Amino acid sequence: MDSKEIAFLSAVETAKAVKANELSPTDAVQAYLGRIDRLDSRLAAYITVVREDALGAAQLVAERLKRGEDPGPLAGVPIAVKDQYWTKGILTTNGSKVFQDFVPNEDSTVIQRLRDAGSVLLGKLNLSEFALGESFYHPAGTPRNPWDPERNPGMSSSGSAAATAAFLCAASLGEDTGGSIRIPAAWSGLVGLRPTWGLVSRYGVLPACWSMDTVGPITRTVEDCAITFQAIAGYDPKDPYTRNTPVPDYRHALEGDLKGLRVGLISEKIYCDDVDREVKDAVVAAAGTLGELAASVE
């Protein structure tokens, strides 16, 4: 596979190619590291890049494949996470100089689950200080939107959005307290999911507001979002607020039809002066298309 094409594969395509021995996990990691080296000085998406750790993890995935094992649904997929999550032996700053020396001695639950799913951690992503979305102070540099470097990629999970949109990782994790997954995804042309509170463990996540914080994926496709969410969701005895219920097969759910689907629009949020006309027209057109599709399967 052409090395220039690797970073433009979806997470699903990457895992499929790795499992089919069409793509080396090490080659996948090197493709992303190369892009980080070339582009991140302009985008400031990363705070920390764990180059050697990533290459070592990729080698472990390759060894599991040689033994005939299934590394998991995210086999060899290079991911990165908002620097709000504990990562064992890796600097975790929460976007602040206050945590400039904080190196956790264990992984947060979601990081461990991503590792268990076969993914490879490339590094820790930039965010506004303490994940406060209205704060645009970034001690590690201000993240830039890859579509227009003069613009913000969106709120506190800005590094997650910038890295994913610029193909500096295959998928990322953000954290949403008041919009910091949804807004970066919207501003950067990505898919973002704020899960229902309690579906994903927050153990090892530096908090902003305990009753509102949620962990979720930021990806380039809906299918990538589904498999990333699948990997991190589920009960965690370390987080008493997680739900002790089975995790649905989110990827399989994408294969269903649209019969009975209802989409709600808040008219006051669409038909108002705060919304540009082209945005309003696009939302209304999308809603109309969904309605036509639903009618066609009835």
Side-chain angles (χ1 to χ4, degrees):
M1 183 177 294
D2 189 333
S3 61
K4 294 181 180 179
E5 299 176 357
I6 293 173
F8 296 96
L9 298 173
S10 69
V12 169
E13 291 168 337
T14 299
K16 183 178 179 180
V18 166
K19 290 184 179 183
N21 291 315
E22 297 170 355
L23 172 62
S24 158
T26 299
D27 287 346
V29 167
Q30 288 177 332
Y32 280 99
L33 290 175
R35 288 185 61 80
I36 293 168
D37 290 342
R38 293 194 304 274
L39 301 174
D40 195 51
S41 61
R42 286 178 280 166
L43 298 176
Y46 280 83
I47 292 177
T48 302
V49 177
V50 289
R51 183 180 304 271
E52 296 306 318
D53 287 354
L55 290 170
Q59 182 59 39
L60 291 176
V61 173
E63 290 172 1
R64 292 190 64 185
L65 287 166
K66 287 181 181 179
R67 293 195 297 266
E69 300 175 10
D70 181 356
L74 293 172
V77 175
I79 58 99
V81 300
K82 187 176 182 178
D83 200 20
Q84 195 176 350
Y85 300 97
W86 292 358
T87 41
K88 184 177 180 178
I90 300 170
L91 182 67
T92 300
T93 71
N94 206 20
S96 174
K97 292 182 178 179
V98 172
F99 289 92
Q100 63 184 347
D101 298 318
F102 176 50
V103 179
N105 58 14
E106 66 176 312
D107 283 331
S108 60
T109 296
V110 290
I111 296 299
Q112 186 58 58
R113 287 180 175 174
L114 285 173
R115 294 189 196 277
D116 292 343
S119 68
V120 175
L121 181 67
L122 292 172
K124 310 294 290 296
L125 298 169
N126 209 344
L127 65 154
S128 54
E129 190 173 27
F130 301 121
L132 298 177
E134 295 302 322
S135 168
F136 292 99
Y137 175 59
H138 301 88
T142 301
R144 301 295 179 180
N145 194 311
W147 298 103
D148 181 353
E150 296 301 313
R151 298 179 184 273
N152 191 309
M155 305 302 280
S156 79
S157 299
S158 48
S160 299
T164 308
F167 301 89
L168 304 186
C169 61
S172 66
L173 290 188
E175 183 277 328
D176 194 313
T177 302
S180 295
I181 288 174
R182 294 160 289 169
I183 293 171
W187 288 10
S188 303
L190 301 167
V191 179
L193 175 66
R194 175 193 168 99
T196 299
W197 200 83
L199 284 183
V200 181
S201 173
R202 297 172 304 165
Y203 179 78
V205 181
L206 293 167
C209 176
W210 76 269
S211 63
M212 297 173 65
D213 295 345
T214 53
V215 175
I218 295 178
T219 62
R220 293 192 291 269
T221 73
V222 173
E223 189 175 24
D224 286 355
C225 187
I227 66 167
T228 306
F229 183 42
Q230 185 84 40
I232 64 175
Y235 174 69
D236 177 16
K238 294 180 179 179
D239 182 349
Y241 298 105
T242 50
R243 295 182 176 187
N244 194 359
T245 56
V247 177
D249 187 336
Y250 297 110
R251 186 177 183 183
H252 177 72
L254 300 178
E255 299 171 4
D257 63 38
L258 297 177
K259 186 174 183 178
L261 178 69
R262 299 186 61 150
V263 178
L265 295 178
I266 303 173
S267 59
E268 292 87 351
K269 294 291 187 180
I270 301 298
Y271 300 100
C272 66
D273 294 338
D274 293 334
V275 178
D276 289 340
R277 181 178 181 84
E278 58 266 33
V279 174
K280 182 201 73 174
D281 290 346
V283 171
V284 172
T289 300
L290 283 173
E292 291 171 5
L293 288 172
S296 70
V297 298
E298 290 181 351

PDB file of all heavy atoms in Angstrom, residues 22-54:
ATOM      1  N   GLU A  22      -2.634  -6.676   4.772  1.00  0.00           N
ATOM      2  CA  GLU A  22      -2.408  -5.782   3.648  1.00  0.00           C
ATOM      3  C   GLU A  22      -1.701  -4.500   4.088  1.00  0.00           C
ATOM      4  O   GLU A  22      -1.221  -3.731   3.264  1.00  0.00           O
ATOM      5  CB  GLU A  22      -3.747  -5.422   2.993  1.00  0.00           C
ATOM      6  CG  GLU A  22      -4.472  -6.624   2.393  1.00  0.00           C
ATOM      7  CD  GLU A  22      -5.885  -6.285   1.965  1.00  0.00           C
ATOM      8  OE1 GLU A  22      -6.322  -5.144   2.232  1.00  0.00           O
ATOM      9  OE2 GLU A  22      -6.555  -7.146   1.385  1.00  0.00           O
ATOM     10  N   LEU A  23      -1.662  -4.292   5.398  1.00  0.00           N
ATOM     11  CA  LEU A  23      -1.054  -3.086   5.956  1.00  0.00           C
ATOM     12  C   LEU A  23      -0.365  -3.455   7.260  1.00  0.00           C
ATOM     13  O   LEU A  23      -0.981  -4.049   8.154  1.00  0.00           O
ATOM     14  CB  LEU A  23      -2.128  -2.020   6.210  1.00  0.00           C
ATOM     15  CG  LEU A  23      -1.696  -0.759   6.971  1.00  0.00           C
ATOM     16  CD1 LEU A  23      -0.631   0.011   6.197  1.00  0.00           C
ATOM     17  CD2 LEU A  23      -2.905   0.137   7.245  1.00  0.00           C
ATOM     18  N   SER A  24       0.885  -3.093   7.372  1.00  0.00           N
ATOM     19  CA  SER A  24       1.628  -3.305   8.607  1.00  0.00           C
ATOM     20  C   SER A  24       1.220  -2.255   9.640  1.00  0.00           C
ATOM     21  O   SER A  24       1.147  -1.057   9.318  1.00  0.00           O
ATOM     22  CB  SER A  24       3.128  -3.195   8.331  1.00  0.00           C
ATOM     23  OG  SER A  24       3.840  -2.893   9.502  1.00  0.00           O
ATOM     24  N   PRO A  25       0.950  -2.664  10.892  1.00  0.00           N
ATOM     25  CA  PRO A  25       0.646  -1.665  11.927  1.00  0.00           C
ATOM     26  C   PRO A  25       1.758  -0.629  12.078  1.00  0.00           C
ATOM     27  O   PRO A  25       1.479   0.550  12.308  1.00  0.00           O
ATOM     28  CB  PRO A  25       0.502  -2.516  13.196  1.00  0.00           C
ATOM     29  CG  PRO A  25       0.135  -3.871  12.714  1.00  0.00           C
ATOM     30  CD  PRO A  25       0.856  -4.039  11.405  1.00  0.00           C
ATOM     31  N   THR A  26       2.996  -1.062  11.910  1.00  0.00           N
ATOM     32  CA  THR A  26       4.117  -0.122  12.005  1.00  0.00           C
ATOM     33  C   THR A  26       4.078   0.898  10.879  1.00  0.00           C
ATOM     34  O   THR A  26       4.321   2.094  11.098  1.00  0.00           O
ATOM     35  CB  THR A  26       5.451  -0.889  11.970  1.00  0.00           C
ATOM     36  OG1 THR A  26       5.506  -1.776  13.090  1.00  0.00           O
ATOM     37  CG2 THR A  26       6.624   0.079  12.033  1.00  0.00           C
ATOM     38  N   ASP A  27       3.752   0.445   9.670  1.00  0.00           N
ATOM     39  CA  ASP A  27       3.639   1.380   8.546  1.00  0.00           C
ATOM     40  C   ASP A  27       2.520   2.388   8.781  1.00  0.00           C
ATOM     41  O   ASP A  27       2.645   3.563   8.418  1.00  0.00           O
ATOM     42  CB  ASP A  27       3.386   0.615   7.247  1.00  0.00           C
ATOM     43  CG  ASP A  27       4.620  -0.128   6.752  1.00  0.00           C
ATOM     44  OD1 ASP A  27       5.723   0.154   7.256  1.00  0.00           O
ATOM     45  OD2 ASP A  27       4.469  -0.991   5.865  1.00  0.00           O
ATOM     46  N   ALA A  28       1.417   1.928   9.376  1.00  0.00           N
ATOM     47  CA  ALA A  28       0.309   2.833   9.666  1.00  0.00           C
ATOM     48  C   ALA A  28       0.743   3.917  10.643  1.00  0.00           C
ATOM     49  O   ALA A  28       0.479   5.110  10.441  1.00  0.00           O
ATOM     50  CB  ALA A  28      -0.876   2.045  10.230  1.00  0.00           C
ATOM     51  N   VAL A  29       1.433   3.513  11.707  1.00  0.00           N
ATOM     52  CA  VAL A  29       1.905   4.477  12.698  1.00  0.00           C
ATOM     53  C   VAL A  29       2.899   5.450  12.069  1.00  0.00           C
ATOM     54  O   VAL A  29       2.827   6.673  12.280  1.00  0.00           O
ATOM     55  CB  VAL A  29       2.539   3.747  13.898  1.00  0.00           C
ATOM     56  CG1 VAL A  29       3.311   4.721  14.787  1.00  0.00           C
ATOM     57  CG2 VAL A  29       1.463   3.029  14.706  1.00  0.00           C
ATOM     58  N   GLN A  30       3.824   4.943  11.276  1.00  0.00           N
ATOM     59  CA  GLN A  30       4.832   5.811  10.663  1.00  0.00           C
ATOM     60  C   GLN A  30       4.203   6.821   9.700  1.00  0.00           C
ATOM     61  O   GLN A  30       4.675   7.954   9.586  1.00  0.00           O
ATOM     62  CB  GLN A  30       5.879   4.963   9.958  1.00  0.00           C
ATOM     63  CG  GLN A  30       6.797   4.219  10.914  1.00  0.00           C
ATOM     64  CD  GLN A  30       7.788   3.320  10.221  1.00  0.00           C
ATOM     65  OE1 GLN A  30       7.531   2.823   9.115  1.00  0.00           O
ATOM     66  NE2 GLN A  30       8.935   3.094  10.844  1.00  0.00           N
ATOM     67  N   ALA A  31       3.137   6.401   9.017  1.00  0.00           N
ATOM     68  CA  ALA A  31       2.455   7.323   8.105  1.00  0.00           C
ATOM     69  C   ALA A  31       1.888   8.515   8.862  1.00  0.00           C
ATOM     70  O   ALA A  31       2.003   9.673   8.425  1.00  0.00           O
ATOM     71  CB  ALA A  31       1.350   6.591   7.353  1.00  0.00           C
ATOM     72  N   TYR A  32       1.285   8.235  10.015  1.00  0.00           N
ATOM     73  CA  TYR A  32       0.723   9.333  10.812  1.00  0.00           C
ATOM     74  C   TYR A  32       1.815  10.162  11.471  1.00  0.00           C
ATOM     75  O   TYR A  32       1.708  11.398  11.530  1.00  0.00           O
ATOM     76  CB  TYR A  32      -0.245   8.779  11.855  1.00  0.00           C
ATOM     77  CG  TYR A  32      -1.604   8.454  11.289  1.00  0.00           C
ATOM     78  CD1 TYR A  32      -1.942   7.154  10.940  1.00  0.00           C
ATOM     79  CD2 TYR A  32      -2.552   9.456  11.075  1.00  0.00           C
ATOM     80  CE1 TYR A  32      -3.189   6.855  10.412  1.00  0.00           C
ATOM     81  CE2 TYR A  32      -3.797   9.168  10.556  1.00  0.00           C
ATOM     82  CZ  TYR A  32      -4.118   7.868  10.220  1.00  0.00           C
ATOM     83  OH  TYR A  32      -5.353   7.578   9.689  1.00  0.00           O
ATOM     84  N   LEU A  33       2.854   9.515  11.965  1.00  0.00           N
ATOM     85  CA  LEU A  33       3.947  10.273  12.573  1.00  0.00           C
ATOM     86  C   LEU A  33       4.590  11.213  11.560  1.00  0.00           C
ATOM     87  O   LEU A  33       4.969  12.345  11.898  1.00  0.00           O
ATOM     88  CB  LEU A  33       5.000   9.317  13.141  1.00  0.00           C
ATOM     89  CG  LEU A  33       4.592   8.513  14.377  1.00  0.00           C
ATOM     90  CD1 LEU A  33       5.689   7.514  14.741  1.00  0.00           C
ATOM     91  CD2 LEU A  33       4.303   9.439  15.563  1.00  0.00           C
ATOM     92  N   GLY A  34       4.690  10.752  10.320  1.00  0.00           N
ATOM     93  CA  GLY A  34       5.239  11.608   9.272  1.00  0.00           C
ATOM     94  C   GLY A  34       4.391  12.842   9.044  1.00  0.00           C
ATOM     95  O   GLY A  34       4.923  13.954   8.874  1.00  0.00           O
ATOM     96  N   ARG A  35       3.075  12.667   9.049  1.00  0.00           N
ATOM     97  CA  ARG A  35       2.184  13.817   8.866  1.00  0.00           C
ATOM     98  C   ARG A  35       2.256  14.758  10.073  1.00  0.00           C
ATOM     99  O   ARG A  35       2.219  15.982   9.915  1.00  0.00           O
ATOM    100  CB  ARG A  35       0.746  13.352   8.636  1.00  0.00           C
ATOM    101  CG  ARG A  35       0.525  12.718   7.271  1.00  0.00           C
ATOM    102  CD  ARG A  35      -0.937  12.378   7.051  1.00  0.00           C
ATOM    103  NE  ARG A  35      -1.803  13.559   7.085  1.00  0.00           N
ATOM    104  CZ  ARG A  35      -1.972  14.417   6.074  1.00  0.00           C
ATOM    105  NH1 ARG A  35      -1.327  14.222   4.931  1.00  0.00           N
ATOM    106  NH2 ARG A  35      -2.786  15.442   6.189  1.00  0.00           N
ATOM    107  N   ILE A  36       2.350  14.186  11.264  1.00  0.00           N
ATOM    108  CA  ILE A  36       2.487  15.016  12.458  1.00  0.00           C
ATOM    109  C   ILE A  36       3.757  15.863  12.357  1.00  0.00           C
ATOM    110  O   ILE A  36       3.748  17.070  12.634  1.00  0.00           O
ATOM    111  CB  ILE A  36       2.509  14.150  13.730  1.00  0.00           C
ATOM    112  CG1 ILE A  36       1.142  13.488  13.944  1.00  0.00           C
ATOM    113  CG2 ILE A  36       2.883  14.983  14.951  1.00  0.00           C
ATOM    114  CD1 ILE A  36       1.145  12.404  15.002  1.00  0.00           C
ATOM    115  N   ASP A  37       4.854  15.243  11.949  1.00  0.00           N
ATOM    116  CA  ASP A  37       6.123  15.966  11.814  1.00  0.00           C
ATOM    117  C   ASP A  37       6.010  17.112  10.806  1.00  0.00           C
ATOM    118  O   ASP A  37       6.582  18.191  11.008  1.00  0.00           O
ATOM    119  CB  ASP A  37       7.236  15.006  11.364  1.00  0.00           C
ATOM    120  CG  ASP A  37       7.629  14.022  12.453  1.00  0.00           C
ATOM    121  OD1 ASP A  37       7.320  14.276  13.629  1.00  0.00           O
ATOM    122  OD2 ASP A  37       8.245  12.989  12.110  1.00  0.00           O
ATOM    123  N   ARG A  38       5.274  16.879   9.730  1.00  0.00           N
ATOM    124  CA  ARG A  38       5.189  17.889   8.669  1.00  0.00           C
ATOM    125  C   ARG A  38       4.184  19.004   8.976  1.00  0.00           C
ATOM    126  O   ARG A  38       4.399  20.155   8.585  1.00  0.00           O
ATOM    127  CB  ARG A  38       4.791  17.225   7.341  1.00  0.00           C
ATOM    128  CG  ARG A  38       5.839  16.296   6.767  1.00  0.00           C
ATOM    129  CD  ARG A  38       5.546  15.957   5.316  1.00  0.00           C
ATOM    130  NE  ARG A  38       4.220  15.368   5.124  1.00  0.00           N
ATOM    131  CZ  ARG A  38       3.945  14.081   5.256  1.00  0.00           C
ATOM    132  NH1 ARG A  38       4.906  13.239   5.628  1.00  0.00           N
ATOM    133  NH2 ARG A  38       2.728  13.624   5.041  1.00  0.00           N
ATOM    134  N   LEU A  39       3.102  18.678   9.659  1.00  0.00           N
ATOM    135  CA  LEU A  39       1.979  19.611   9.727  1.00  0.00           C
ATOM    136  C   LEU A  39       1.673  20.183  11.102  1.00  0.00           C
ATOM    137  O   LEU A  39       1.098  21.264  11.208  1.00  0.00           O
ATOM    138  CB  LEU A  39       0.710  18.915   9.198  1.00  0.00           C
ATOM    139  CG  LEU A  39       0.766  18.394   7.770  1.00  0.00           C
ATOM    140  CD1 LEU A  39      -0.507  17.609   7.444  1.00  0.00           C
ATOM    141  CD2 LEU A  39       0.954  19.539   6.791  1.00  0.00           C
ATOM    142  N   ASP A  40       2.039  19.474  12.167  1.00  0.00           N
ATOM    143  CA  ASP A  40       1.530  19.902  13.468  1.00  0.00           C
ATOM    144  C   ASP A  40       2.162  21.178  13.984  1.00  0.00           C
ATOM    145  O   ASP A  40       1.584  21.843  14.845  1.00  0.00           O
ATOM    146  CB  ASP A  40       1.693  18.782  14.503  1.00  0.00           C
ATOM    147  CG  ASP A  40       0.846  19.044  15.742  1.00  0.00           C
ATOM    148  OD1 ASP A  40      -0.368  19.316  15.576  1.00  0.00           O
ATOM    149  OD2 ASP A  40       1.384  19.018  16.860  1.00  0.00           O
ATOM    150  N   SER A  41       3.293  21.547  13.485  1.00  0.00           N
ATOM    151  CA  SER A  41       3.881  22.816  13.920  1.00  0.00           C
ATOM    152  C   SER A  41       2.984  23.983  13.547  1.00  0.00           C
ATOM    153  O   SER A  41       3.000  25.033  14.198  1.00  0.00           O
ATOM    154  CB  SER A  41       5.269  22.997  13.299  1.00  0.00           C
ATOM    155  OG  SER A  41       5.187  23.022  11.878  1.00  0.00           O
ATOM    156  N   ARG A  42       2.150  23.805  12.510  1.00  0.00           N
ATOM    157  CA  ARG A  42       1.205  24.863  12.098  1.00  0.00           C
ATOM    158  C   ARG A  42      -0.146  24.733  12.767  1.00  0.00           C
ATOM    159  O   ARG A  42      -0.873  25.713  12.896  1.00  0.00           O
ATOM    160  CB  ARG A  42       1.023  24.835  10.583  1.00  0.00           C
ATOM    161  CG  ARG A  42       2.215  25.379   9.811  1.00  0.00           C
ATOM    162  CD  ARG A  42       1.989  25.284   8.326  1.00  0.00           C
ATOM    163  NE  ARG A  42       2.256  23.939   7.825  1.00  0.00           N
ATOM    164  CZ  ARG A  42       1.890  23.510   6.616  1.00  0.00           C
ATOM    165  NH1 ARG A  42       1.209  24.301   5.820  1.00  0.00           N
ATOM    166  NH2 ARG A  42       2.200  22.301   6.218  1.00  0.00           N
ATOM    167  N   LEU A  43      -0.495  23.519  13.213  1.00  0.00           N
ATOM    168  CA  LEU A  43      -1.840  23.282  13.740  1.00  0.00           C
ATOM    169  C   LEU A  43      -1.896  23.202  15.264  1.00  0.00           C
ATOM    170  O   LEU A  43      -2.962  23.417  15.850  1.00  0.00           O
ATOM    171  CB  LEU A  43      -2.407  21.991  13.154  1.00  0.00           C
ATOM    172  CG  LEU A  43      -2.580  21.979  11.640  1.00  0.00           C
ATOM    173  CD1 LEU A  43      -3.057  20.607  11.178  1.00  0.00           C
ATOM    174  CD2 LEU A  43      -3.547  23.056  11.187  1.00  0.00           C
ATOM    175  N   ALA A  44      -0.785  22.888  15.900  1.00  0.00           N
ATOM    176  CA  ALA A  44      -0.728  22.767  17.367  1.00  0.00           C
ATOM    177  C   ALA A  44      -1.802  21.843  17.909  1.00  0.00           C
ATOM    178  O   ALA A  44      -2.433  22.116  18.933  1.00  0.00           O
ATOM    179  CB  ALA A  44      -0.840  24.152  18.015  1.00  0.00           C
ATOM    180  N   ALA A  45      -2.017  20.721  17.234  1.00  0.00           N
ATOM    181  CA  ALA A  45      -3.018  19.758  17.683  1.00  0.00           C
ATOM    182  C   ALA A  45      -2.508  18.905  18.842  1.00  0.00           C
ATOM    183  O   ALA A  45      -3.284  18.523  19.716  1.00  0.00           O
ATOM    184  CB  ALA A  45      -3.434  18.857  16.522  1.00  0.00           C
ATOM    185  N   TYR A  46      -1.232  18.598  18.848  1.00  0.00           N
ATOM    186  CA  TYR A  46      -0.654  17.708  19.857  1.00  0.00           C
ATOM    187  C   TYR A  46       0.079  18.492  20.940  1.00  0.00           C
ATOM    188  O   TYR A  46       0.744  19.497  20.667  1.00  0.00           O
ATOM    189  CB  TYR A  46       0.344  16.739  19.222  1.00  0.00           C
ATOM    190  CG  TYR A  46      -0.285  15.544  18.545  1.00  0.00           C
ATOM    191  CD1 TYR A  46      -0.765  15.635  17.244  1.00  0.00           C
ATOM    192  CD2 TYR A  46      -0.403  14.323  19.211  1.00  0.00           C
ATOM    193  CE1 TYR A  46      -1.345  14.530  16.617  1.00  0.00           C
ATOM    194  CE2 TYR A  46      -0.972  13.225  18.590  1.00  0.00           C
ATOM    195  CZ  TYR A  46      -1.441  13.330  17.300  1.00  0.00           C
ATOM    196  OH  TYR A  46      -2.017  12.244  16.678  1.00  0.00           O
ATOM    197  N   ILE A  47      -0.025  17.995  22.163  1.00  0.00           N
ATOM    198  CA  ILE A  47       0.839  18.447  23.246  1.00  0.00           C
ATOM    199  C   ILE A  47       2.015  17.502  23.390  1.00  0.00           C
ATOM    200  O   ILE A  47       3.159  17.923  23.533  1.00  0.00           O
ATOM    201  CB  ILE A  47       0.052  18.545  24.576  1.00  0.00           C
ATOM    202  CG1 ILE A  47      -0.971  19.687  24.504  1.00  0.00           C
ATOM    203  CG2 ILE A  47       0.996  18.760  25.759  1.00  0.00           C
ATOM    204  CD1 ILE A  47      -1.844  19.821  25.732  1.00  0.00           C
ATOM    205  N   THR A  48       1.730  16.203  23.326  1.00  0.00           N
ATOM    206  CA  THR A  48       2.763  15.174  23.476  1.00  0.00           C
ATOM    207  C   THR A  48       2.585  14.107  22.407  1.00  0.00           C
ATOM    208  O   THR A  48       1.473  13.608  22.207  1.00  0.00           O
ATOM    209  CB  THR A  48       2.679  14.505  24.862  1.00  0.00           C
ATOM    210  OG1 THR A  48       2.824  15.501  25.880  1.00  0.00           O
ATOM    211  CG2 THR A  48       3.759  13.444  25.025  1.00  0.00           C
ATOM    212  N   VAL A  49       3.666  13.771  21.714  1.00  0.00           N
ATOM    213  CA  VAL A  49       3.667  12.662  20.750  1.00  0.00           C
ATOM    214  C   VAL A  49       4.538  11.552  21.337  1.00  0.00           C
ATOM    215  O   VAL A  49       5.691  11.789  21.697  1.00  0.00           O
ATOM    216  CB  VAL A  49       4.220  13.096  19.383  1.00  0.00           C
ATOM    217  CG1 VAL A  49       4.267  11.913  18.422  1.00  0.00           C
ATOM    218  CG2 VAL A  49       3.363  14.224  18.801  1.00  0.00           C
ATOM    219  N   VAL A  50       3.972  10.344  21.445  1.00  0.00           N
ATOM    220  CA  VAL A  50       4.708   9.225  22.057  1.00  0.00           C
ATOM    221  C   VAL A  50       5.200   8.294  20.946  1.00  0.00           C
ATOM    222  O   VAL A  50       4.738   7.179  20.774  1.00  0.00           O
ATOM    223  CB  VAL A  50       3.840   8.485  23.089  1.00  0.00           C
ATOM    224  CG1 VAL A  50       3.640   9.344  24.321  1.00  0.00           C
ATOM    225  CG2 VAL A  50       2.485   8.092  22.524  1.00  0.00           C
ATOM    226  N   ARG A  51       6.165   8.754  20.231  1.00  0.00           N
ATOM    227  CA  ARG A  51       6.660   8.085  19.032  1.00  0.00           C
ATOM    228  C   ARG A  51       7.114   6.647  19.315  1.00  0.00           C
ATOM    229  O   ARG A  51       6.664   5.703  18.671  1.00  0.00           O
ATOM    230  CB  ARG A  51       7.806   8.901  18.446  1.00  0.00           C
ATOM    231  CG  ARG A  51       8.387   8.376  17.147  1.00  0.00           C
ATOM    232  CD  ARG A  51       9.513   9.290  16.684  1.00  0.00           C
ATOM    233  NE  ARG A  51       9.044  10.656  16.564  1.00  0.00           N
ATOM    234  CZ  ARG A  51       8.500  11.171  15.455  1.00  0.00           C
ATOM    235  NH1 ARG A  51       8.389  10.413  14.372  1.00  0.00           N
ATOM    236  NH2 ARG A  51       8.102  12.424  15.420  1.00  0.00           N
ATOM    237  N   GLU A  52       8.012   6.471  20.265  1.00  0.00           N
ATOM    238  CA  GLU A  52       8.564   5.142  20.521  1.00  0.00           C
ATOM    239  C   GLU A  52       7.506   4.206  21.103  1.00  0.00           C
ATOM    240  O   GLU A  52       7.458   3.018  20.766  1.00  0.00           O
ATOM    241  CB  GLU A  52       9.776   5.242  21.454  1.00  0.00           C
ATOM    242  CG  GLU A  52      10.949   6.012  20.854  1.00  0.00           C
ATOM    243  CD  GLU A  52      11.371   5.458  19.500  1.00  0.00           C
ATOM    244  OE1 GLU A  52      11.418   4.209  19.355  1.00  0.00           O
ATOM    245  OE2 GLU A  52      11.647   6.255  18.591  1.00  0.00           O
ATOM    246  N   ASP A  53       6.672   4.729  21.983  1.00  0.00           N
ATOM    247  CA  ASP A  53       5.595   3.910  22.549  1.00  0.00           C
ATOM    248  C   ASP A  53       4.652   3.427  21.453  1.00  0.00           C
ATOM    249  O   ASP A  53       4.195   2.282  21.457  1.00  0.00           O
ATOM    250  CB  ASP A  53       4.800   4.706  23.589  1.00  0.00           C
ATOM    251  CG  ASP A  53       5.563   4.913  24.880  1.00  0.00           C
ATOM    252  OD1 ASP A  53       6.662   4.340  25.022  1.00  0.00           O
ATOM    253  OD2 ASP A  53       5.060   5.642  25.747  1.00  0.00           O
ATOM    254  N   ALA A  54       4.340   4.318  20.516  1.00  0.00           N
ATOM    255  CA  ALA A  54       3.417   3.968  19.439  1.00  0.00           C
ATOM    256  C   ALA A  54       4.016   2.886  18.546  1.00  0.00           C
ATOM    257  O   ALA A  54       3.333   1.924  18.170  1.00  0.00           O
ATOM    258  CB  ALA A  54       3.078   5.205  18.612  1.00  0.00           C
TER     259      ALA A  54
END
